[in-house]
Amino acid sequence: MDADDRFMWMALDLARQGRGRTNPNPMVGAVAVQGAEVVGSGYHKAVGTPHAEIIALEKAGEKANGATLYINLEPCNHHGRTGPCTEAIIRAGISRVVIAMRDPNPLVSGSGIARLQEAGIKIREGVLGQKACHLNETFIKYITTKMPYISVKIAMSLDGKIATSTGESHWITGEKARQFVHRLRDHTDVIMVGIETVLKDNPRLTTRLESGAGRDPIRVIVDSSARLPLDAKVIESGSAAKTIVAVTAKAPPDKCRVLKAKGVEILELPEDGGRVDLTSLMGELAARGLSAVLVEGGGTLNYSMLEQGLVDKLFIFIAPLIIGGQESPTAFSGSGISDLGQVWTVEGMEMKQFDRDLLLIGYPVKMPA
């Protein structure tokens, strides 16, 4: 591993520390190096706070003059909540900048690099570029499509069941797997389920880490007819996180008024086959600056999301259990595929283990018709 790779790994590791707090902006880490010595480093901690480059340069002080700056994302060259990082880099006297990837944001893409080059700063691009893209996959999707990055989490038995025939699903996976899910929740903007999941399980949909830390995501319930019980835990959990119920025009106005009085936001959306139009729902969430959505629904919602091309990533836990039964629900229901030539394949597979439970992580890709 050469020096550029080594210091870029440091920048990427720093950037990860901002996961879930910088949305809808990217995770960015920066490392200033003079010779072989790290003289300053930092990461973007949250929206509206100083950018990683600014923190690293401030720590470096005078030692930034003539140094190399490693950044996992092209520095900004425009005024947003903060000033352009390119000008701060130039003022500090940085002589070389190593960048993992260009910023896909049209306000930045290429202009940051061009400004640094105009100032006589040497640039190297593409160092650990694939790793940088993977790290900021949520930001890339959001900034280029104006839609959120959507992950689906599933816990199932070896035979693909997510509950027994009577609906019992607590607990298919063990404690370590569940703690990983709470970390996923802590890193996301929105957790979404369908009304059937609420009626069967009455979940809180909160983040409950062993450390006691963590942030509750906004709860979204897909509930076209506003069937959400008034004593549901998503309303009465005591969480500061907002609960949004996505309905259609067929939702009873009186029920919607009562839910609003209990602090629930009612979001009326167009219908798609008698149900909430999920694409419209995702567009509405993105318009609010919510860039990361975690779906923890049942087979109907999971399949509808997949069928409409809305799923970016899968987190599938497999427990060493066999449930059996034709009536036991599966992870994906719906109409299903009749032709094996038109299935979804799951690419980029990664596997983790939590005690006896396996976690498969991958990206669904629809085979062409």
Side-chain angles (χ1 to χ4, degrees):
M1 182 185 296
D2 67 16
D4 283 352
D5 283 359
R6 181 158 49 91
F7 291 122
M8 187 59 76
W9 272 118
M10 291 178 61
L12 288 166
D13 287 341
L14 283 165
R16 284 188 190 92
Q17 295 183 48
R19 188 181 296 278
R21 301 300 183 265
T22 64
N23 295 347
N25 293 336
M27 292 174 276
V28 183
V31 178
V33 178
Q34 186 69 263
E37 178 191 1
V38 175
V39 294
S41 63
Y43 70 97
H44 186 40
K45 294 182 179 179
V47 174
T49 63
H51 288 189
E53 301 94 314
I54 303 303
I55 297 172
L57 293 174
E58 286 180 351
K59 288 182 178 179
E62 293 182 357
K63 291 183 179 180
N65 189 36
T68 296
L69 185 65
Y70 294 84
I71 324 168
N72 62 294
L73 187 72
E74 177 183 8
C76 64
N77 189 45
H78 65 287
H79 286 273
R81 290 184 175 91
T82 59
C85 289
T86 50
E87 299 307 316
I89 292 168
I90 294 166
R91 286 195 303 271
I94 292 289
S95 63
R96 179 173 178 257
V97 175
V98 180
I99 298 166
M101 63 173 285
R102 291 198 177 201
D103 192 332
N105 186 345
L107 289 173
V108 180
S109 189
S111 68
I113 291 171
R115 177 69 186 102
L116 296 177
Q117 289 175 325
E118 287 171 8
I121 295 174
K122 296 179 181 177
I123 301 292
R124 184 184 176 193
E125 285 186 67
V127 175
L128 301 184
Q130 278 192 317
K131 300 292 183 183
C133 289
H134 184 264
L135 176 68
N136 272 313
E137 58 193 5
T138 295
F139 170 71
I140 293 169
K141 164 88 180 290
Y142 176 78
I143 205 68
T144 57
T145 68
K146 307 303 180 188
M147 291 287 277
Y149 192 88
I150 302 164
S151 301
V152 172
K153 173 248 132 183
I154 294 161
M156 68 183 191
S157 61
L158 277 174
D159 56 338
K161 306 297 185 180
I162 60 174
T164 67
S165 58
T166 60
E168 183 183 351
S169 60
H170 295 89
W171 296 100
I172 287 178
T173 55
E175 179 59 30
K176 287 186 178 180
R178 297 200 296 273
Q179 277 297 300
F180 180 87
V181 173
H182 284 292
R183 289 197 293 276
L184 285 180
R185 291 180 179 183
D186 180 50
H187 295 157
T188 198
D189 299 325
V190 172
I191 181 169
M192 188 173 87
V193 299
I195 184 58
E196 293 298 334
T197 294
V198 176
L199 295 176
K200 289 176 182 176
D201 298 340
N202 195 18
R204 284 176 283 178
L205 302 181
T206 54
T207 297
R208 301 183 297 280
L209 295 170
E210 288 179 339
S211 65
R215 179 195 62 170
D216 292 340
I218 291 171
R219 283 81 61 88
V220 172
I221 315 301
V222 182
D223 181 12
S224 58
S225 299
R227 293 188 289 152
L228 180 67
L230 299 179
D231 60 352
K233 289 179 181 177
V234 291
I235 301 175
E236 304 292 348
S237 67
S239 172
K242 178 187 293 186
T243 296
I244 300 173
V245 177
V247 303
T248 65
K250 65 185 178 184
D254 288 346
K255 178 66 176 294
C256 290
R257 278 193 291 271
V258 175
L259 287 171
K260 286 179 182 179
K262 293 182 74 69
V264 173
E265 179 183 348
I266 300 297
L267 179 60
E268 185 175 320
L269 293 163
E271 285 190 16
D272 179 17
R275 296 175 176 172
V276 170
D277 185 317
L278 295 171
T279 300
S280 295
L281 173 56
M282 294 303 108
E284 175 65 29
L285 296 177
R288 299 179 181 207
L290 302 171
S291 61
V293 174
L294 177 64
V295 179
E296 293 194 32
T300 300
L301 180 60
N302 291 344
Y303 188 79
S304 295
M305 296 288 292
L306 190 67
E307 189 177 37
Q308 294 178 41
L310 295 172
V311 180
D312 296 296
K313 194 169 189 175
L314 295 168
F315 291 88
I316 301 179
F317 288 92
I318 303 175
L321 309 172
I322 296 175
I323 294 175
Q326 290 185 336
E327 302 303 317
S328 301
T330 59
F332 296 94
S333 52
S335 58
I337 294 296
S338 58
D339 181 353
L340 281 176
Q342 297 178 22
V343 300
W344 288 267
T345 60
V346 181
E347 300 185 351
M349 289 287 288
E350 176 187 353
M351 185 177 74
K352 298 178 183 290
Q353 187 162 358
F354 300 89
D355 289 337
R356 297 190 309 158
D357 302 320
L358 294 181
L359 169 60
L360 301 180
I361 305 172
Y363 304 85
V365 177
K366 186 74 164 69
M367 297 288 284

